[in-house]
Amino acid sequence: MRRTQVVYEGDTVGQRLGRFVALLGVIFVVALAVIVSQRFSAETLALIVGLLLAGIPMLAVVGLPFFVLIRQGRRPRNEPQQMTIPPIMLTLPQQPQALPGDGGMWDIPQRDRVSARSWDVLGDEAE
């Protein structure tokens, strides 16, 4: 008796098993839908369909930020996210600086001298 070995070069066992499980899931959902539609009233079915139609987009909106957070967590970070504050150096003069070429000091107003101020009010017709 001659033995022949058949090598299957198509899909892997995992892919075939995945399709089989998906087919069983579709059959289960269809059977469940038929049973539910026969037992529930029209108002209850309308409520269930409305909740499903509103809930599926809501799940997408809620799931999108989680998906983005998971994707960011996988990405390697090249540079640190810490903010460094550059050093600040202040130089304060010890005495007033002289004017260039004049040889004198800056004219610093004295605090005890009060100059008279004058101003004109615009739009005042009581004059």
Side-chain angles (χ1 to χ4, degrees):
M1 183 172 192
R2 193 170 163 190
R3 289 185 170 185
T4 59
Q5 184 177 5
V6 178
V7 177
Y8 185 72
E9 295 183 10
D11 297 332
T12 63
V13 175
Q15 290 173 337
R16 287 184 281 161
L17 184 63
R19 280 197 302 257
F20 178 71
V21 170
L23 180 64
L24 284 178
V26 168
I27 291 172
F28 176 75
V29 167
V30 168
L32 186 67
V34 168
I35 292 171
V36 165
S37 66
Q38 289 176 354
R39 293 189 182 219
F40 288 159
S41 66
E43 292 86 13
T44 307
L45 287 176
L47 176 68
I48 291 172
V49 169
L51 289 174
L52 286 175
L53 291 177
I56 291 172
M58 183 183 67
L59 287 176
V61 169
V62 170
L64 183 64
F66 288 118
F67 177 73
V68 170
L69 287 174
I70 289 171
R71 296 281 294 177
Q72 283 181 350
R74 292 183 188 169
R75 226 182 311 162
R77 296 183 181 183
N78 295 336
E79 56 186 59
Q81 298 293 327
Q82 295 177 351
M83 186 174 136
T84 57
I85 300 173
I88 299 171
M89 300 176 72
L90 297 175
T91 56
L92 299 174
Q94 298 298 327
Q95 58 182 342
Q97 297 178 356
L99 290 174
D102 185 24
M105 302 301 280
W106 288 93
D107 184 22
I108 301 173
Q110 301 296 325
R111 292 195 181 268
D112 52 342
R113 249 192 317 168
V114 178
S115 62
R117 295 183 183 177
S118 65
W119 58 84
D120 295 328
V121 178
L122 297 176
D124 190 18
E125 298 182 12
E127 293 183 40

